[in-house]
Amino acid sequence: LYSSSEGQKVFAFIPRENCMISGEEGIMRPNPEIYKRLIQKYQLVPEHTVVIDDSSVNLKVAQKEGFNTIHFSNMSLLRVR
C-alpha cells in the first residue's frame, strides 16, 4: 500500500501486482477504509500481514484494523527487519 507512485521506487523489490496505491484507490491513509479495501482485494488475514509506514498515525490505524506494523525510518534497517 503506497500513498503515491514515489513509494514504488522505494519498495521496488515488491512486485507491483502485490501492491496498492492509495491515491489510485481514491482513499488516503489514515482512513481505515483503505486497509479494509486492501484486505478485500488481496484476501488478506491482517494478523498475518505487515504494514510498513513512516507515519505513526497511519500505523496506529493499521494496528486497529488488526495488521502487524513496522515503523519505517531507514531502508537499510528495514531490509534487516
Side-chain angles (χ1 to χ4, degrees):
L1 174 62
Y2 307 130
S3 293
S4 67
S5 58
E6 185 64 29
Q8 286 183 285
K9 295 175 188 173
V10 174
F11 296 106
F13 59 94
I14 300 173
R16 174 65 173 100
E17 64 271 9
N18 294 336
C19 299
M20 178 185 289
I21 298 176
S22 58
E24 291 177 0
E25 297 295 318
I27 304 171
M28 301 305 290
R29 292 172 293 163
N31 185 331
E33 286 303 313
I34 194 64
Y35 299 104
K36 292 174 183 171
R37 188 169 293 184
L38 192 64
I39 292 166
Q40 182 180 24
K41 181 175 182 177
Y42 294 105
Q43 300 177 357
L44 300 176
V45 176
E47 295 81 12
H48 299 160
T49 307
V50 176
V51 172
I52 302 166
D53 203 307
D54 62 349
S55 165
S56 59
V57 172
N58 292 345
L59 293 175
K60 286 178 185 176
V61 174
Q63 288 171 344
K64 286 181 182 177
E65 294 299 320
F67 289 94
N68 297 292
T69 61
I70 295 175
H71 188 226
F72 169 73
S73 59
N74 178 300
M75 181 57 84
S76 61
L77 290 176
L78 177 64
R79 289 182 190 268
V80 170
R81 291 185 82 178

